Amino acid sequence: MRVDTPVAELLFGQEDATPFNTDVATLKPWSQALVCLDSAHKCWLSTVNPDGCPHAAPVMPVLVDGVPCIASRPNSRKSRNLAGNPRAVITVSSDNLDLVVSGEAHQVSGETALRRVAAAFATKYSWTFAIRDGRVHDESLPGSPRYAFYKVSPVRAFGYGTDGLTATRWRFNRT
């Protein structure tokens, strides 16, 4: 799945309380959000527990076709949560942007897609995965444990400037 370039709009309008900036010239481009995600060594993934309570865990993101992907053990709380409810939020901060990406996380499948995500992890983190019979393994660990890759397809995202006064909302048309 590819994600189209989102529509950017001010998060706060003239009718909202000051001191938020309402100048459209302060809109952040989505490319800045992608740089924030791509350069992050770690971000936070929030999922929904079966009882409806939130769960947050640090993860290491990679970008594949402009979509954030993460690795997780299949029996971890985050993987079990995503199996029951794909709604997820990724949050990350950089020196010039605080980013919140809300979307749906789905497990990556298919040999080609799995290899592309594995290659992204190898490039960014030197974390190598083996793909065998459609399954992801970390052969550097004892027992070659299984992993699953998830892509988090954005539905909406929010970028907050470090000045505390500027904010951009991006809405996505998914194709």
Side-chain angles (χ1 to χ4, degrees):
M1 169 198 265
R2 282 201 90 107
V3 177
D4 289 335
T5 301
V7 173
E9 58 193 13
L10 289 169
L11 184 56
F12 302 105
Q14 294 290 340
E15 68 280 1
D16 294 311
T18 58
F20 296 111
N21 192 316
T22 58
D23 181 356
V24 295
T26 64
L27 285 174
K28 310 281 189 246
W30 181 242
S31 59
Q32 185 178 354
L34 290 175
V35 168
C36 180
L37 277 168
D38 197 36
S39 63
H41 179 73
K42 172 180 72 176
C43 66
W44 290 89
L45 176 74
S46 297
T47 60
V48 182
N49 284 322
D51 66 359
C53 290
H55 174 267
V59 294
M60 297 163 54
V62 295
L63 287 180
V64 177
D65 295 330
V67 178
C69 298
I70 59 112
S72 178
R73 299 286 299 274
N75 290 326
S76 70
R77 168 52 49 204
K78 59 187 165 287
S79 290
R80 290 180 301 171
N81 285 351
L82 293 173
N85 183 340
R87 288 182 279 185
V89 173
I90 289 177
T91 54
V92 64
S93 287
S94 69
D95 289 340
N96 57 10
L97 187 69
D98 294 325
L99 181 64
V100 178
V101 179
S102 179
E104 291 188 0
H106 295 283
Q107 192 169 343
V108 176
S109 62
E111 194 84 12
T112 301
L114 290 171
R115 290 195 185 285
R116 291 186 71 219
V117 176
F121 275 102
T123 298
K124 184 171 181 179
Y125 300 105
S126 299
W127 188 7
T128 57
F129 290 98
I131 310 299
R132 294 192 313 265
D133 301 321
R135 293 186 176 183
V136 179
H137 296 269
D138 183 344
E139 293 184 334
S140 70
L141 295 175
S144 185
R146 280 190 54 212
Y147 276 80
F149 295 146
Y150 294 88
K151 62 181 178 182
V152 182
S153 300
V155 173
R156 73 188 67 75
F158 304 91
Y160 301 92
T162 55
D163 60 6
L165 302 175
T166 57
T168 301
R169 173 179 35 228
W170 295 281
R171 289 180 294 122
F172 293 83
N173 293 321
R174 296 186 301 168
T175 57

